[in-house]
Amino acid sequence: MTDGEAVNKRQMAPVITLTTDFGTSDAYVASMKGVILTINPKAVIVDICHSIEPQNILQAAFILSTAYHYFPEGAIHLAIVDPGVGSQRKAIILKTPKAFFLAPDNGALSYIIDELDTTPAKPAHHFSPSPEQRKLGAGFEAVAITNPDFWRKSVSTTFHGRDMFAPVAAHLSLGIAIHKFGESLSHVFAFHIPRPFRDNQGNLIGRVLHIDNFGNLITNIRSGDLPGERITVTIGSQHIDGISQFYAEKEGLAVIVGSSSYLEISLKNGNAAAFLDAKVGDEIRLKQ
Amino acid sequence: MTDGEAVNKRQMAPVITLTTDFGTSDAYVASMKGVILTINPKAVIVDICHSIEPQNILQAAFILSTAYHYFPEGAIHLAIVDPGVGSQRKAIILKTPKAFFLAPDNGALSYIIDELDTTPAKPAHHFSPSPEQRKLGAGFEAVAITNPDFWRKSVSTTFHGRDMFAPVAAHLSLGIAIHKFGESLSHVFAFHIPRPFRDNQGNLIGRVLHIDNFGNLITNIRSGDLPGERITVTIGSQHIDGISQFYAEKEGLAVIVGSSSYLEISLKNGNAAAFLDAKVGDEIRLKQ
Amino acid sequence: MTDGEAVNKRQMAPVITLTTDFGTSDAYVASMKGVILTINPKAVIVDICHSIEPQNILQAAFILSTAYHYFPEGAIHLAIVDPGVGSQRKAIILKTPKAFFLAPDNGALSYIIDELDTTPAKPAHHFSPSPEQRKLGAGFEAVAITNPDFWRKSVSTTFHGRDMFAPVAAHLSLGIAIHKFGESLSHVFAFHIPRPFRDNQGNLIGRVLHIDNFGNLITNIRSGDLPGERITVTIGSQHIDGISQFYAEKEGLAVIVGSSSYLEISLKNGNAAAFLDAKVGDEIRLKQ
């Protein structure tokens, strides 16, 4: 996609999505939308999620990574979970072949960067405790948002979402090229996302990446990682045999390939996370 | 409304509404919106409700039935509460003189079908425990969504909302006729909705259909069913005399004709459902 | 802004915002949106907040006052927290140089009216217990919504949001002048908003106006009220020295100038309101 093509696509469907930990009890999200619509009245704004747990950067990163695939090409995705707002952390635009992402440079784009990272060192077995510098692969660009021409005139130290990210997204949706917003970056920060690995006994070891609204546990094992259908999954003290095709198929706990191709653990007519007292990062073991 | 007229109306205001039990903590709803906007960038998407209690088909059915009247003619309403996703349950489009409805064929359109049903057998006094086959009345059409040409290329077994219902709704909003999406159906599934009836003593017996966010109890007795204003309503051990004109009129519990013409029980500056420990299906007795 | 200019602006960006206590578990908000889109399919509807505490007029008033500044000129803002719906309370349109506001005349626009009030009597030290009549300043207009030509044909006594405010807002967004909707008003109701004042010892005394989703306490002391940076803030039994530039700067409790220029009290990686057991109206003392 050349810059010109991107512009055309964006002018046809200037979709801007929002993922934040702002909640919906305050006017924070609405203020961002007001700023965007003032600059680009044709912007189509879509909420992805505003109930990210306060300051849970990895949760925002996961949610955004499962959603952005389904949006039009050239869509602009904001992910604002920003405990370091006003400090020296950078604000960035990341351009991929599919979309634009705006976020503080604090790991909020970790899953997207992890997908793109063609030269990972040793794959991680755990989430890294903090984000680390990662070199961008070919076909991807990033800039630091440093040019105040596209910000609100007065930028608060506490709400860059409204004063910096929203106006930059709106200008981007009008077709302005990303290099106008600041200098290029070769590296951005990302958490290492754990990859499944085999232990000494040949078991495939995965981790829970996310717990959804139904209490389904979404793991880092993908359908392509599966050695076959005749498997036993162990989580905590529970063992689950076989893979189900859909949620309603089986009573009790079930393992299923979910809608984003991740292996999920669910409980028929119940909440698997509550039943298992499970949390993000928990280990699951898959035995053939 | 001919198909051509419907198309014109839809091209002017291609409104698509969403009612689900997906919550707003995950990217599920946003993924559906992304799919819709990719196919029809001009679609105007309106959330009706995403906090339907997980798998509570009747709650979704009620909420949708009270909302759709207020939308433009030809609007497209999706109701996705779908515990049987991936199983043999059908996915359907129902076309009425007023609107289009897309849902799993599991009772999620029960109130709409109940309204249309011109030949009901003996009216129900209780919710039926499960949905039953109902013949569609004149002027209504339904199809099973079976033509994969309008689906996403890869359809997951767990998320037909995104992979089947959203793209079908988007194509429908572009003016494609419903018979292109699959074969006609003469029957669809619906729960029986209880109708008020008279007991041996001449009391009118109704039931609580819904409890709203303020704790108001919405019953199945409509203003047209009332024998007059000088009535006493009994629920549990409480008696309420007379009908109020508005919420603020009277201290304590009050009976009022609500905004959808259903009789409601409310508590001034309080939560009637919590005060009465009431739930959906509870009986109310109305004495003249 | 002349009426003609306002019309042009509104035709370019007919933004309508919604602030209510309706929650998002019912179809009430969606019904209003359906009514608006039926009358003006081009309206861009933005949710500000629907989780106002039931019947908390002042909370809605605060939320709206912090949001509306960021919307395009000529935007139309509805604030529907309406415990007196159906009673004799008026419904009003308030026109300011920046925007249009629709609300019951019950104090839901208190902060906006307070900002405009160029001739306040003795500034308030507390919230007034109920709203009081206030004369509108120059440049502002208000009308009572009394002309049923712009309402839904049948107006319920319990849901003026859907039957009166939504259709009036939609017609307003089509460019109809406000005097068409009803007779002019010289006075509207507003709560007195407490202003900071100095006590006998020269301390600046303020109050908590709002507690946000992060538990930050937002006070009525603005950056312009500050005697300098070397201050001590006391709330309950806690003392906080100095003003921080951003949330992440300091461990524990911090005082910061927030994104709406109000002084805020926050807790790094925590919830200040829960930690301090603070509530709206609580006193804070600022010592130089």
Side-chain angles (χ1 to χ4, degrees):
Chain A
M1 182 165 67
T2 70
D3 250 36
E5 284 166 357
V7 168
N8 283 343
K9 267 172 189 147
R10 278 185 278 158
Q11 285 175 342
M12 287 173 58
V15 175
I16 298 175
T17 79
L18 304 179
T19 303
T20 77
D21 62 353
F22 296 164
T24 52
S25 306
D26 288 297
Y28 299 128
V29 172
S31 299
M32 291 179 63
K33 293 180 182 177
V35 169
I36 290 169
L37 290 171
T38 302
I39 295 168
N40 185 359
K42 291 183 190 297
V44 173
I45 305 172
V46 178
D47 298 306
I48 290 184
C49 181
H50 298 295
S51 54
I52 301 295
E53 196 180 300
Q55 310 174 349
N56 191 334
I57 294 167
L58 268 168
Q59 189 186 3
F62 182 82
I63 292 278
L64 178 56
S65 78
T66 62
Y68 85 91
H69 296 284
Y70 304 102
F71 280 85
E73 267 193 42
I76 296 162
H77 305 281
L78 277 73
I80 318 289
V81 176
D82 199 3
V85 62
S87 69
Q88 291 303 310
R89 69 102 186 87
K90 285 197 186 82
I92 59 170
I93 305 173
L94 176 69
K95 185 182 169 191
T96 76
K98 168 83 180 164
F100 298 84
F101 299 90
L102 280 73
D105 189 18
N106 65 5
L109 305 178
S110 290
Y111 283 89
I112 290 148
I113 289 161
D114 206 66
E115 281 176 22
L116 307 182
D117 196 340
T118 49
T119 57
K122 201 169 155 238
H125 293 179
H126 299 270
F127 288 106
S128 56
S130 57
E132 295 175 17
Q133 287 262 29
R134 300 276 279 275
K135 194 172 186 330
L136 289 176
F140 306 102
E141 290 178 60
V143 302
I145 300 174
T146 51
N147 181 354
D149 292 355
F150 299 104
W151 305 350
R152 281 175 46 80
K153 271 171 215 155
S154 156
V155 174
S156 70
T157 51
T158 57
F159 196 4
H160 288 186
R162 180 193 68 197
D163 298 337
M164 189 186 291
F165 289 108
V168 166
H171 283 108
L172 198 56
S173 77
L174 290 168
I176 291 170
I178 71 165
H179 65 83
K180 301 281 189 193
F181 295 98
E183 69 267 20
S184 284
L185 295 173
S186 60
H187 289 71
V188 296
F189 280 95
F191 286 90
H192 288 283
I193 308 301
R195 301 282 171 88
F197 64 95
R198 292 201 174 271
D199 69 4
N200 299 336
Q201 286 97 47
N203 297 317
L204 192 64
I205 308 295
R207 295 203 177 272
V208 175
L209 296 181
H210 181 68
I211 294 173
D212 79 6
N213 183 54
F214 295 89
N216 299 318
L217 310 180
I218 294 151
T219 76
N220 65 346
I221 298 177
R222 297 208 180 224
S223 50
D225 300 323
L226 293 175
E229 303 260 312
R230 303 194 45 165
I231 55 164
T232 298
V233 168
T234 301
I235 177 161
S237 59
Q238 299 283 325
H239 305 285
I240 311 163
D241 289 325
I243 293 184
S244 301
Q245 292 308 304
F246 52 90
Y247 292 125
E249 185 177 326
K250 190 184 158 186
E251 299 303 315
L253 287 169
V255 172
I256 195 166
V257 177
S259 59
S260 297
S261 94
Y262 291 108
L263 215 68
E264 295 180 19
I265 296 171
S266 67
L267 178 64
K268 188 174 178 179
N269 296 324
N271 184 306
F275 178 77
L276 292 165
D277 194 19
K279 59 185 195 310
V280 169
D282 279 2
E283 183 179 295
I284 74 160
R285 197 176 316 129
L286 195 148
K287 203 174 182 166
Q288 212 169 352
Chain B
M1 182 165 67
T2 69
D3 250 37
E5 285 166 356
V7 167
N8 284 342
K9 270 174 189 144
R10 277 185 278 157
Q11 284 174 343
M12 287 173 56
V15 174
I16 298 175
T17 80
L18 305 178
T19 303
T20 77
D21 63 351
F22 297 164
T24 52
S25 306
D26 288 297
Y28 299 130
V29 171
S31 299
M32 290 179 64
K33 293 180 182 176
V35 168
I36 290 169
L37 290 171
T38 302
I39 295 167
N40 184 359
K42 290 182 191 298
V44 173
I45 305 173
V46 178
D47 298 306
I48 291 185
C49 181
H50 298 295
S51 54
I52 301 295
E53 197 180 299
Q55 310 174 348
N56 190 334
I57 293 167
L58 268 168
Q59 189 186 4
F62 181 83
I63 292 278
L64 179 55
S65 78
T66 63
Y68 85 90
H69 297 284
Y70 304 102
F71 280 85
E73 268 194 42
I76 296 162
H77 304 282
L78 277 74
I80 318 289
V81 176
D82 199 2
V85 61
S87 69
Q88 291 303 308
R89 69 101 187 92
K90 286 195 185 81
I92 60 171
I93 305 173
L94 175 69
K95 185 182 169 190
T96 76
K98 168 82 180 164
F100 298 83
F101 299 90
L102 281 74
D105 190 17
N106 63 6
L109 304 178
S110 290
Y111 283 88
I112 290 148
I113 289 160
D114 207 66
E115 281 175 23
L116 306 182
D117 197 338
T118 50
T119 56
K122 199 167 157 242
H125 292 179
H126 298 270
F127 288 107
S128 57
S130 58
E132 295 174 19
Q133 287 261 28
R134 299 278 280 275
K135 194 174 186 327
L136 288 176
F140 306 102
E141 293 178 60
V143 302
I145 300 174
T146 51
N147 180 353
D149 291 355
F150 299 104
W151 306 350
R152 281 175 47 80
K153 270 170 213 156
S154 156
V155 174
S156 69
T157 52
T158 57
F159 196 4
H160 288 186
R162 180 192 68 197
D163 298 337
M164 187 186 291
F165 288 108
V168 166
H171 283 106
L172 198 55
S173 77
L174 290 169
I176 291 170
I178 71 164
H179 66 81
K180 301 282 189 192
F181 296 96
E183 69 266 20
S184 285
L185 295 173
S186 60
H187 289 70
V188 296
F189 279 96
F191 286 91
H192 288 283
I193 309 301
R195 300 281 171 88
F197 64 96
R198 293 201 173 269
D199 69 6
N200 298 336
Q201 287 96 47
N203 298 316
L204 193 64
I205 307 296
R207 296 201 176 274
V208 175
L209 296 181
H210 181 68
I211 294 173
D212 79 6
N213 183 54
F214 295 90
N216 299 317
L217 309 180
I218 294 150
T219 76
N220 65 345
I221 299 177
R222 297 208 180 223
S223 51
D225 300 324
L226 293 175
E229 301 261 313
R230 303 192 45 163
I231 55 163
T232 297
V233 168
T234 301
I235 178 161
S237 60
Q238 299 283 325
H239 305 285
I240 311 163
D241 289 327
I243 293 185
S244 301
Q245 293 308 306
F246 51 90
Y247 291 126
E249 185 177 327
K250 191 184 157 185
E251 299 304 314
L253 288 169
V255 173
I256 196 165
V257 177
S259 60
S260 296
S261 94
Y262 290 109
L263 216 67
E264 296 180 17
I265 296 171
S266 67
L267 179 65
K268 188 172 176 179
N269 297 324
N271 184 307
F275 179 77
L276 292 165
D277 194 19
K279 57 185 196 309
V280 169
D282 279 2
E283 183 180 296
I284 74 159
R285 199 177 316 129
L286 194 149
K287 203 174 183 167
Q288 211 169 353
Chain C
M1 182 164 68
T2 70
D3 250 39
E5 286 166 354
V7 168
N8 284 342
K9 270 173 188 145
R10 277 185 278 158
Q11 285 175 342
M12 287 173 56
V15 174
I16 297 175
T17 79
L18 305 178
T19 303
T20 77
D21 64 351
F22 297 164
T24 52
S25 305
D26 289 298
Y28 298 129
V29 172
S31 299
M32 291 179 63
K33 293 181 181 176
V35 169
I36 291 169
L37 291 170
T38 302
I39 295 167
N40 185 358
K42 290 183 190 300
V44 173
I45 304 173
V46 178
D47 297 307
I48 291 185
C49 181
H50 298 296
S51 55
I52 302 294
E53 198 180 298
Q55 310 174 347
N56 191 334
I57 294 167
L58 269 168
Q59 189 186 3
F62 182 83
I63 292 277
L64 178 55
S65 78
T66 62
Y68 85 90
H69 297 284
Y70 304 102
F71 281 86
E73 267 193 42
I76 296 162
H77 304 282
L78 277 74
I80 318 290
V81 176
D82 200 3
V85 61
S87 70
Q88 291 303 309
R89 69 101 186 90
K90 288 195 185 81
I92 59 171
I93 305 174
L94 175 70
K95 185 182 169 192
T96 77
K98 169 83 179 167
F100 297 83
F101 299 90
L102 281 73
D105 189 17
N106 64 6
L109 304 178
S110 290
Y111 283 89
I112 289 148
I113 289 160
D114 206 66
E115 281 175 23
L116 306 182
D117 197 339
T118 50
T119 57
K122 200 170 156 237
H125 293 179
H126 298 271
F127 288 107
S128 57
S130 58
E132 296 175 18
Q133 287 262 29
R134 299 278 279 275
K135 193 173 188 326
L136 288 176
F140 307 103
E141 291 178 61
V143 301
I145 300 174
T146 51
N147 181 354
D149 292 355
F150 299 104
W151 305 351
R152 281 174 47 79
K153 272 171 213 157
S154 156
V155 174
S156 69
T157 53
T158 56
F159 196 4
H160 289 186
R162 179 193 69 198
D163 298 338
M164 187 186 293
F165 288 108
V168 166
H171 283 107
L172 199 56
S173 77
L174 290 169
I176 291 170
I178 71 165
H179 65 82
K180 302 281 189 194
F181 296 98
E183 69 266 21
S184 285
L185 294 172
S186 60
H187 289 70
V188 296
F189 280 96
F191 286 91
H192 288 283
I193 307 302
R195 300 281 171 88
F197 64 97
R198 292 202 175 269
D199 69 6
N200 298 336
Q201 286 96 47
N203 297 317
L204 193 65
I205 308 296
R207 296 201 178 274
V208 175
L209 296 180
H210 181 69
I211 294 173
D212 80 6
N213 184 55
F214 295 90
N216 299 318
L217 310 180
I218 294 150
T219 76
N220 64 346
I221 298 176
R222 297 209 181 224
S223 50
D225 301 324
L226 292 176
E229 302 260 315
R230 302 191 48 162
I231 55 164
T232 299
V233 167
T234 301
I235 178 161
S237 59
Q238 300 283 326
H239 305 285
I240 312 163
D241 289 326
I243 293 185
S244 301
Q245 294 308 306
F246 50 90
Y247 292 127
E249 185 178 325
K250 191 184 158 186
E251 299 305 315
L253 288 169
V255 173
I256 195 164
V257 176
S259 60
S260 297
S261 92
Y262 292 109
L263 215 67
E264 296 181 18
I265 296 171
S266 67
L267 179 64
K268 188 172 176 180
N269 296 324
N271 184 308
F275 179 77
L276 292 165
D277 195 18
K279 59 185 193 311
V280 169
D282 279 2
E283 183 180 296
I284 75 158
R285 196 177 318 130
L286 194 148
K287 205 176 181 165
Q288 212 168 350

